[in-house]
Amino acid sequence: MSSAQPLPPTLVAAGIRVARGGKAILRGVDLQARSGEVVGVLGPSGAGKSTLFRALVGERPPDDGTIALLGQNVTKWPLWKRARAGVGYVPQEPSVLWDLTVLENLVAYRQIAGVRAASGDAGTSARRVGLEDQLHVRAGQLSGGERRRLELARALTCAPRLLVCDEPFAGVDPAGAEQLGRLLREVASEGTAVLLADHHVSEALRVCTFALLLLDGVVAVTAASAEFPNEPLVRGRYLGTWESAPPRTPVDGSGPQP
């Protein structure tokens, strides 16, 4: 009796190249993410993390390379079509509809993504991020951290197969960041492949299954979250003297220890 074969990757990106103004931003990035994984894409400012994420979700197609979602080539698909195929996206820039309420933001996103609008389902997404008491509050009246949670709730409202989060902890207080980290691990445990980039390295590594170091437009290091900070290139080019301020114990207790 043959052993069970591992599930194919949810996302396969191969040879991703993006240039801007004659300058190469991404120079052949290869990346995979599987159901149940939280993959951290880390690196210094200007390394190309946001550019990579925009290419993966269809906001800015790559100049070269291929992107496959669940085995289907989606390289040329626009953002809305990838959303309907199961790609959730939390962009780095604020993207809520300020004049709409929390509930209206969630219902509107479901309509754009081609899912029948249902306020009950939208309310469930709000509860997952702790916004159930603010369903009828305008997004423009929320704090920065609350708006970030709304953006995550919006991405989750259509049960994505791939969730791409660019700076999910930005503007979120420590307690909120811990809550979001737990939620991302929970989402992954339900079968979603999660990609995240964040400058809050300790928070990111607490959540991630493994991490990639993006340097000079290429993936320079791939390592489990526990080993990532010990990689020589990570220490030398990215974290520096990080040993003076190590990350806390990760959400599931399996990563770097103080």
Side-chain angles (χ1 to χ4, degrees):
M1 186 173 181
S2 60
S3 59
Q5 296 296 315
L7 292 174
T10 301
L11 170 75
V12 177
I16 302 301
R17 295 178 181 273
V18 174
R20 184 180 302 153
K23 178 183 177 182
I25 306 299
L26 301 177
R27 300 187 294 113
V29 171
D30 298 325
L31 171 67
Q32 294 188 7
R34 288 178 165 79
S35 170
E37 293 180 339
V38 182
V39 180
V41 179
L42 306 178
S45 297
K49 302 182 294 297
S50 294
T51 298
L52 173 62
F53 281 7
R54 286 193 287 268
L56 295 178
V57 303
E59 186 176 333
R60 200 287 191 193
D63 298 317
D64 197 10
T66 59
I67 300 167
L69 178 68
L70 299 171
Q72 184 167 14
N73 190 330
V74 301
T75 308
K76 302 299 183 182
W77 288 16
L79 179 68
W80 66 265
K81 190 171 183 180
R82 294 190 207 189
R84 293 187 177 186
V87 178
Y89 181 37
V90 179
Q92 183 179 23
E93 300 81 9
S95 59
V96 299
L97 302 174
W98 291 64
D99 291 332
L100 299 186
T101 67
V102 168
L103 179 59
E104 289 167 343
N105 265 273
L106 297 175
V107 171
Y109 181 79
R110 289 177 65 86
Q111 293 172 331
I112 293 170
V115 178
R116 184 175 61 84
S119 60
D121 291 342
T124 298
S125 297
R127 282 192 293 275
R128 292 196 75 176
V129 301
L131 292 177
E132 65 273 18
D133 294 331
Q134 294 166 289
L135 284 174
H136 302 293
V137 175
R138 287 173 50 198
Q141 296 175 305
L142 300 174
S143 69
E146 289 168 339
R147 287 196 297 272
R148 204 64 179 146
R149 283 187 278 155
L150 173 56
E151 289 165 341
L152 180 56
R154 187 182 57 188
L156 293 176
T157 193
C158 295
R161 302 295 299 274
L162 173 68
L163 177 62
V164 180
C165 300
D166 196 352
E167 302 283 348
F169 304 121
V172 181
D173 61 34
E178 185 170 353
Q179 178 189 20
L180 286 181
R182 291 183 183 278
L183 176 57
L184 290 175
R185 289 303 297 259
E186 178 182 312
V187 169
S189 72
E190 295 168 354
T192 299
V194 178
L195 288 177
L196 71 84
D198 208 283
H199 288 296
H200 295 77
V201 180
S202 60
E203 293 295 345
L205 290 180
R206 289 179 63 238
V207 176
C208 293
T209 309
F210 65 92
L212 314 177
L213 177 64
L214 196 61
L215 279 178
D216 304 322
V218 298
V219 176
V221 173
T222 302
S225 59
E227 301 302 325
F228 183 81
N230 299 319
E231 292 285 338
L233 194 57
V234 172
R235 286 184 176 275
R237 292 285 306 276
Y238 182 40
L239 299 181
T241 57
W242 190 40
E243 56 266 54
S244 63
R248 293 174 290 164
T249 303
V251 172
D252 65 352
S254 63
Q257 302 291 325

